[in-house]
Amino acid sequence: MLRPKKTSQAKLAYCEECGKLFSSLRGEKLCPQCGAKDREAKDKIKEYLRDNPDATLKEAAEATGAPADTVKRFTMEVISSKLSSNKKAETEHPCANCGQMIKTGTYCPACSAELQKKAQQNAMAMSAVTTTREEDAKPREVKGLDEDFNKALTSKPARRRMYQSVIEERKNR
């Protein structure tokens, strides 16, 4: 059986850089003008970093005239593409939090420890908060329901909420 040919439809999107509406065929996030500027900036950054491999992000941004976030985004794209290919990455890259140069991972050991500590503190704070409703805390039997149904309601508060209308109807009888 012959299938109809799929046609690629252009979708309208707003440019993340300038906010203009443009036609996006491949899911681009930048309009053609901003995309060209972005590619030029990436080429400058790539050339600068090739000549100065020990340069920091700040130095690369100042030397190329590109915004620091563009330099960081581009270096992270390069790093992730190197890591996704099966080649061993022997280059250093900046920590995603402080910018210190590291060889593996996303965060340097100091930032990693700090983030882990904050995560544990947040987990402790969240566990201290009680979010149970009073009716869930003390499940009770409802007269007029069979024994198995009452067991299910007392053992599973979510099921009790699900059948709340049935329970209210039986109470009112």
Side-chain angles (χ1 to χ4, degrees):
M1 175 192 269
L2 294 174
R3 292 185 180 168
K5 195 183 249 187
K6 289 185 179 180
T7 58
S8 61
Q9 292 182 349
K11 295 181 181 178
L12 293 178
Y14 287 99
C15 176
E16 288 184 354
E17 189 69 29
C18 66
K20 284 195 310 187
L21 188 63
F22 71 101
S23 178
S24 171
L25 286 172
R26 292 179 227 108
E28 299 97 348
K29 295 182 179 183
L30 299 176
C31 68
Q33 293 84 11
C34 293
K37 288 178 188 175
D38 191 53
R39 284 188 293 279
E40 283 179 29
K42 284 181 180 181
D43 290 341
K44 285 181 185 178
I45 295 165
K46 186 176 181 180
E47 185 178 319
Y48 180 79
L49 291 176
R50 189 180 304 130
D51 296 338
N52 304 298
D54 295 332
T56 63
L57 292 177
K58 187 176 181 182
E59 292 170 351
E62 289 172 358
T64 59
D69 61 330
T70 302
V71 176
K72 184 175 181 179
R73 181 171 43 89
F74 175 64
T75 54
M76 294 308 283
E77 285 174 10
V78 170
I79 291 164
S80 65
S81 68
K82 283 184 180 180
L83 292 176
S84 66
S85 66
N86 290 331
K87 299 176 186 173
K88 184 177 179 182
E90 296 179 9
T91 59
E92 289 187 342
H93 59 276
C95 168
N97 190 37
C98 68
Q100 178 184 350
M101 297 305 282
I102 55 176
K103 290 186 179 185
T104 60
T106 306
Y107 298 103
C108 67
C111 290
S112 180
E114 183 181 334
L115 291 170
Q116 189 173 14
K117 182 179 175 184
K118 285 182 182 179
Q120 287 174 347
Q121 289 173 347
N122 288 339
M124 295 288 281
M126 291 299 291
S127 66
V129 175
T130 57
T131 57
T132 58
R133 297 186 341 202
E134 188 176 315
E135 66 185 21
D136 291 342
K138 298 178 184 176
R140 60 184 187 280
E141 290 187 6
V142 178
K143 292 181 182 177
L145 297 178
D146 63 5
E147 189 175 314
D148 292 335
F149 192 70
N150 265 321
K151 283 181 185 177
L153 291 179
T154 55
S155 66
K156 298 178 181 168
R159 189 167 286 169
R160 181 177 181 80
R161 286 191 299 273
M162 188 168 67
Y163 291 109
Q164 193 65 39
S165 62
V166 173
I167 293 169
E168 292 300 322
E169 184 182 311
R170 298 273 173 100
K171 279 184 184 178
N172 294 332
R173 285 187 187 175

